[in-house]
Amino acid sequence: SLLIPYKGNTIKVSCKEIAYIESDAHNVIVHTKNAQYQMRETLKKMEDELSIYHFHRCNSGYLVNLSYVTGVKNDEVFLDDIGLKISRPRKKEFMERLTKYIGDIF
């Protein structure tokens, strides 16, 4: 779980609920199916903390929960109706991690 400051409180969000995390200047935006939470953190730190939970970067601005991936087409990864760009330098490693993840769950 992540502890996220929200409206003067701290809430606990399960990693299973997080579809992807977006970098926004010196903040990150945590996207779940039902909400978005912004917090002051680096994407690198989030990547280090969440890599064991099947999160992987598709480009310098997004960290994707591989369990939410519904498809890949050309240079985009899809999470239902959301398409995120896969950068050329990260594509090979991202696809390897996604393939391994899919192979492990089946």
Side-chain angles (χ1 to χ4, degrees):
S1 295
L2 286 180
L3 297 176
I4 299 174
Y6 183 68
K7 294 184 179 180
N9 295 314
T10 301
I11 61 168
K12 185 167 115 173
V13 177
S14 169
C15 294
K16 292 178 183 178
E17 295 176 31
I18 301 169
Y20 67 100
I21 300 172
E22 175 182 3
S23 176
D24 180 33
H26 297 289
N27 297 306
V28 294
I29 303 168
V30 177
H31 295 265
T32 68
K33 280 201 169 235
N34 303 316
Q36 296 178 15
Y37 306 99
Q38 186 168 334
M39 59 190 265
R40 190 154 188 85
E41 193 58 79
T42 66
L43 196 59
K44 175 65 177 149
K45 184 171 182 211
M46 300 299 289
E47 180 181 25
D48 292 344
E49 290 179 15
L50 297 173
S51 65
I52 62 170
Y53 300 109
H54 309 292
F55 282 79
H56 196 72
R57 278 202 197 196
C58 62
N59 64 41
S60 61
Y62 294 101
L63 186 60
V64 176
N65 183 341
L66 298 179
S67 68
Y68 280 83
V69 173
T70 56
V72 175
K73 183 176 181 184
N74 299 326
D75 291 332
E76 275 191 295
V77 59
F78 290 92
L79 296 81
D80 290 328
D81 59 341
I82 299 166
L84 304 174
K85 182 84 171 144
I86 304 171
S87 69
R88 190 180 319 256
R90 294 185 187 268
K91 186 169 186 176
K92 181 180 178 192
E93 185 179 350
F94 182 81
M95 294 306 294
E96 287 171 355
R97 289 284 301 269
L98 181 59
T99 302
K100 182 178 180 341
Y101 173 77
I102 291 170
D104 288 347
I105 61 172
F106 290 107

